[in-house]
Amino acid sequence: GYAVSVSMLAVALLAPYLGAWADAQRMRRRFLIFSCLLGATATAMLALAGPGQYMLATLLFIVANIGFATGNIFYNSFLPALAESSELDKLSARGFALGYVGGGLALLLTFILIQQYQWFGLPDKGVATRIGFLITGLWWAGFAIPAFFSIKEDVFIHEPEPLLHGLGSYFRTFARIRNYPHLLRFLIAFLFYNDGIQTVIAVSAIFASTELGLSQGSVLGCFLMIQFVAMPGALLFARLASRFGAKQAIMTSLLLFIAVTIYAYKMDSAIEFWLLGFVVALILGGSQAISRSLFAAMVPTDRTAEFFGFYAVSGKFASIFGPLVFAIISDTTGSARLSILALSLFFIVGLVLLGSVNIKKGREQAIVALEKTSV
């Protein structure tokens, strides 16, 4: 929990400056490549962390997480230029769905390697696990190559405005977003519930091993199931958003996340953990994908880059608190159960705030702002 908080704090402080530099020099694609390679290299280097070298493992994890989170800032900023407003939900959900398939295949290979290490002539599961990190790093870098060659810097439909000129510009962008009250309300709601989601992702393996006593194989198997169930789950939420509205789809997922945290507090068996994992898998990708596209739909098109930069940086600042709360409560009480239950507060606050957002008015405010700029 502390390691995740440190990595998110680093991203939150670095991102405004990296974003401004990348925008000013038209180097988003290069920064995406650099972030990806940084994260993939640090992941592969986790293979060097042997028994007892937890500080080395922690440092490499922090670097890898910084590479992943920073890369997503540049990655997400391409979304509004790649689809019309009516197609954003579908494209965003498909991106998450394919990501879960790719991640699931990588995890499957690693799972087989660890569980059947004798087949590969390895001495034990520890060595197999370290080789698994090497495979994961190579997988990450290798499958990013098509994007490196296909994404073009000039894909933007307008001259990109700098994401943020440092932290001073971060607060100036916040002042601009205040002119769009429904967008601002959605952003605050997202910061709360996304922090809860990211924390659930980060600490679920710890909870399973410390509170339920699950073996490494059982935890990996559950995560493998989650990867493949999350793919149709993301597509299902795209359909729900299309039929009932993006806001209703997200609110449904938050109600389920609240139920998940309450159930996790009480559960005490492997079967219950797998059942909970199945529910999380269904709502995980969809809630994130629809949130991303909903934000894009309420952003004035002439401020897409700037507002997406604020969206990304704010998300990283917010992601510090969930893991930190989990770690502090777990440290203080000696139990992760109360830590999991405390995460429900993030989802409850997010749900209440999201319920007050009028999506139609938010889109209208973005259109009016664009028309005033054009005039």
Side-chain angles (χ1 to χ4, degrees):
Y2 293 130
V4 173
S5 293
V6 168
S7 61
M8 290 300 97
L9 177 61
V11 172
L13 294 175
L14 287 172
Y17 301 98
L18 293 176
W21 188 14
D23 260 349
Q25 303 298 322
R26 299 186 66 85
M27 293 173 60
R28 289 185 189 217
R29 175 177 165 275
R30 293 183 187 179
F31 272 64
L32 176 61
I33 294 173
F34 174 78
S35 299
C36 173
L37 295 180
L38 176 68
T41 301
T43 300
M45 287 180 66
L46 278 164
L48 302 175
Q53 295 180 299
Y54 67 93
M55 289 302 295
L56 175 61
T58 300
L59 177 62
L60 290 171
F61 167 78
I62 289 173
V63 173
N65 211 28
I66 288 172
F68 175 69
T70 304
N72 275 342
I73 293 174
F74 303 107
Y75 174 81
N76 287 339
S77 68
F78 282 91
L79 175 64
L82 297 175
E84 297 296 330
S85 179
S86 59
E87 297 292 315
L88 285 173
D89 289 340
K90 185 184 296 184
L91 177 61
S92 187
R94 285 180 177 177
F96 268 92
L98 290 173
Y100 281 119
V101 171
L105 291 174
L107 185 58
L108 176 61
L109 291 176
T110 307
F111 178 79
I112 294 172
L113 176 70
I114 294 173
Q115 295 302 110
Q116 306 298 332
Y117 63 91
Q118 307 97 326
W119 294 358
F120 305 94
L122 300 175
D124 54 49
K125 287 187 176 182
V127 173
T129 300
R130 291 194 290 276
I131 294 176
F133 282 117
L134 176 61
I135 292 173
T136 303
L138 294 173
W139 182 281
W140 182 355
F143 281 97
I145 291 174
F148 293 168
F149 285 101
S150 61
I151 291 179
K152 305 298 181 185
E153 191 69 36
D154 58 2
V155 71
F156 289 95
I157 52 178
H158 55 78
E159 186 69 19
E161 188 168 333
L163 283 173
L164 296 166
H165 292 294
L167 290 176
S169 182
Y170 175 84
F171 292 107
R172 285 196 294 275
T173 300
F174 173 71
R176 286 177 181 160
I177 291 179
R178 289 177 61 187
N179 295 320
Y180 309 91
H182 291 282
L183 176 64
L184 176 62
R185 209 172 298 165
F186 169 77
L187 179 61
I188 297 173
F190 171 78
L191 296 183
F192 273 97
Y193 70 72
N194 187 60
D195 194 9
I197 293 173
Q198 296 305 319
T199 306
V200 167
I201 295 171
V203 305
S204 54
I206 300 170
F207 181 86
S209 60
T210 59
E211 294 295 329
L212 304 180
L214 269 62
S215 66
Q216 182 189 45
S218 183
V219 174
L220 282 175
C222 185
F223 277 22
L224 190 60
M225 177 270 292
I226 289 173
Q227 288 291 132
F228 288 105
V229 174
M231 186 273 287
L235 298 177
L236 172 64
F237 264 82
R239 288 189 170 226
L240 289 175
S242 176
R243 183 167 183 178
F244 300 106
K247 175 182 170 180
Q248 285 69 24
I250 298 173
M251 291 182 73
T252 300
S253 74
L254 297 184
L255 287 171
L256 290 172
F257 267 119
I258 293 170
V260 161
T261 58
I262 296 173
Y263 189 74
Y265 172 73
K266 298 181 177 181
M267 71 179 179
D268 55 13
S269 70
I271 293 177
E272 290 176 310
F273 183 74
W274 277 71
L275 176 63
L276 212 60
F278 182 81
V279 175
V280 170
L282 285 176
I283 59 181
L284 182 62
S287 59
Q288 293 176 294
I290 304 305
S291 295
R292 181 173 64 178
S293 57
L294 183 56
F295 180 82
M298 290 192 288
V299 170
T301 55
D302 64 330
R303 297 206 176 273
T304 297
E306 181 186 9
F307 282 18
F308 252 99
F310 186 91
Y311 174 84
V313 175
S314 299
K316 302 316 169 195
F317 269 122
S319 296
I320 297 168
F321 299 105
L324 188 60
V325 167
F326 181 92
I328 290 173
I329 294 178
S330 183
D331 243 357
T332 304
T333 65
S335 170
R337 290 185 182 273
L338 284 174
S339 300
I340 285 287
L341 186 61
L343 296 181
S344 64
L345 295 176
F346 289 91
F347 298 117
I348 292 171
V349 173
L351 180 66
V352 171
L353 289 172
L354 182 60
S356 67
V357 176
N358 188 314
I359 307 301
K360 182 179 178 181
K361 287 185 177 179
R363 287 174 172 159
E364 289 173 352
Q365 287 169 354
I367 294 172
V368 169
L370 182 62
E371 290 174 348
K372 287 182 179 178
T373 303
S374 301
V375 173

